[in-house]
Amino acid sequence: MTRKSTTDAGSRHTIRDVAARAGVSASTVSRVLGGEYPVSTATRTRVMRAVRELDYVADARAKAIAGAGTPTLAFVLDDITGPSFTHMAHGVEREAARLGHLCLVCSTDGDADRQLEFIEMMRAQRAAAVILVGGTTDNADYRARMARIADSLASAGSRLVLCGRPPLDPGTPVTVIEYDNEGGAYALCAHVLAQGHRRVLFLGGAADNTTALGRERGFLAAHRARGLEPDPALCLTGGFTRDSGHRLVRRALDQGLDFTAVMATTDMVAAGALTALREAGLRVPADVSLVGYDDIPFARDLYPALTTVHVPYEELGRLAVRTALGRTPDAPDEHLLLGTHVVVRDSVTPPAGPTKPQAGPNAGLKG
């Protein structure tokens, strides 16, 4: 007589429940259900009886992750709401699907422990590749941690891919795919300077973030190539968000800083800067020119349309997948660099004159 489950109706049994009912290990149940390993007839009979009694249904997603179904790769990023990361994720997913792989996305919110936990899970499940995205803090601890991760993944038949991050030490089994952060910023700032601007307010990211540092280096190099030295008071640090751009421009105006152009470290920062300038009664580009970085789709829909640097984020994601899946896990380090270019739109004109944007403390500014 078949024994009925004692669990509540609607609850789902796990593979451990089946193992306990059959008196075997969970790995033995997995072997029976996978059908890929030899198992004795008696053991198979006990397991299948437990499956029927518990009405157990294997989770197709778990099977896929474990390698019994569709091969898997992982895409790990700090913030899934960031527009540039969204386009990179789209490229990863499209290319993974084209090549017959399932793509799993993990947003860590900048939590290093959460990132490591997810990577370890992907290593245990033998994911084909783990793709880490976005700027980071480049120091000895970071490089040692990434090297350990790369070696660990390679030992499990997986491959570490770093997108938009600096390379590791030679010989590490890692694929690095960058874009020319510094070169793009250099070209963009050179365009602004060529229009006659000499006091450019730079809205940077976190002081230790590799993406922010690359863009700042390009900003400084463009000035120095023309024999100019930027005023340190015009180089502000914040984040990559709209609110950061709004806050930094408000601060610059409240402090009475003299500038005729604003170079934002991302298009989202530029959007916040644009709002702050308008709240202060300043016109873009008639009073202050403005540029961004990334060329995310809404940049062309701002008014005026934003001059910016185009980064091929979707292609970066596609290339990460193609390259990772085309390499053996223990292949030596590989470093690819994609180009960027300036997209000239309507937000930059020559300065009207040696005018100084004025907005006294909180004058004309909304809360």
Side-chain angles (χ1 to χ4, degrees), residues 8 94 100 360:
D8 295 335
R94 291 281 297 272

Side-chain angles (χ1 to χ4, degrees), residues 195-197 259-261 283 285-289 348-356:
Q195 297 299 307
H197 296 277
F259 59 92
T260 62
R283 301 165 298 167
D287 298 318
V288 180
S289 289
V348 179
T349 59
T355 58
K356 184 176 182 178

Side-chain angles (χ1 to χ4, degrees), residues 10 30 33 57-58 78 114 127 144 147 172 175 188 193 207 263 270 279 324 326 338:
S30 180
L33 297 179
V57 178
D78 285 346
R114 177 175 168 83
T172 307
T175 295
L188 181 65
L193 296 175
M263 180 170 167
E279 289 173 350
L338 299 185

Side-chain angles (χ1 to χ4, degrees), residues 23-36:
V24 298
S25 67
S27 60
T28 298
V29 175
S30 180
R31 292 189 187 100
V32 170
L33 297 179
E36 298 178 0

Side-chain angles (χ1 to χ4, degrees), residues 233-250:
L234 295 179
C235 294
L236 307 181
T237 58
F240 288 155
T241 65
R242 178 263 178 206
D243 289 346
S244 177
H246 185 268
R247 181 177 63 256
L248 292 178
V249 168
R250 286 186 59 158

Side-chain angles (χ1 to χ4, degrees), residues 267-336:
D267 292 343
M268 291 298 293
V269 173
L274 179 62
T275 300
L277 291 168
R278 285 177 174 166
E279 289 173 350
L282 296 169
R283 301 165 298 167
V284 176
D287 298 318
V288 180
S289 289
L290 174 67
V291 296
Y293 203 116
D294 287 334
D295 194 27
I296 58 180
F298 85 75
R300 72 193 73 171
D301 296 323
L302 293 175
Y303 182 77
L306 187 66
T307 292
T308 184
V309 174
H310 178 77
V311 180
Y313 283 113
E314 185 164 336
E315 176 55 26
L316 194 68
R318 288 179 177 273
L319 184 60
V321 175
R322 288 198 303 270
T323 305
L325 298 184
R327 305 287 291 183
T328 58
D330 58 351
D333 57 303
E334 181 177 31
H335 187 192
L336 304 176

Side-chain angles (χ1 to χ4, degrees), residues 6-174:
T6 59
T7 57
D8 295 335
S11 64
R12 294 186 62 181
H13 289 287
T14 69
I15 197 169
R16 290 183 176 84
D17 296 329
V18 175
R21 176 65 64 88
V24 298
S25 67
S27 60
T28 298
V29 175
S30 180
R31 292 189 187 100
V32 170
L33 297 179
E36 298 178 0
Y37 298 91
V39 178
S40 71
T41 301
T43 298
R44 182 179 300 277
T45 299
R46 292 205 311 274
V47 169
M48 295 311 298
R49 181 186 300 120
V51 166
R52 290 192 299 273
E53 291 175 354
L54 295 177
D55 195 23
Y56 172 74
V57 178
D59 189 333
R61 291 171 298 175
K63 288 179 65 180
I65 294 172
T70 306
T72 306
L73 58 82
F75 181 76
V76 187
L77 68 169
D78 285 346
D79 180 11
I80 199 169
T81 64
S84 56
F85 288 163
T86 299
H87 287 281
M88 194 183 300
H90 184 250
V92 168
E93 194 281 329
R94 291 281 297 272
E95 191 67 14
R98 188 183 72 83
L99 296 175
H101 282 62
L102 175 68
C103 178
L104 300 179
V105 178
C106 176
S107 179
T108 67
D109 293 324
D111 186 335
D113 290 337
R114 177 175 168 83
Q115 180 187 88
L116 288 174
E117 288 173 2
F118 185 73
I119 292 172
E120 177 57 27
M121 182 175 71
M122 290 298 96
R123 186 197 69 81
Q125 303 297 349
R126 300 185 181 276
V130 175
I131 302 171
L132 300 187
V133 177
T136 187
T137 300
D138 187 12
N139 55 32
D141 288 343
Y142 163 77
R143 288 173 175 264
R145 186 172 71 253
M146 287 298 107
R148 288 194 299 270
I149 289 172
D151 289 336
S152 177
L153 288 172
S155 69
S158 185
R159 179 77 173 180
L160 177 64
V161 183
L162 302 179
C163 276
R165 293 191 174 198
L168 303 180
D169 295 334
T172 307
V174 62

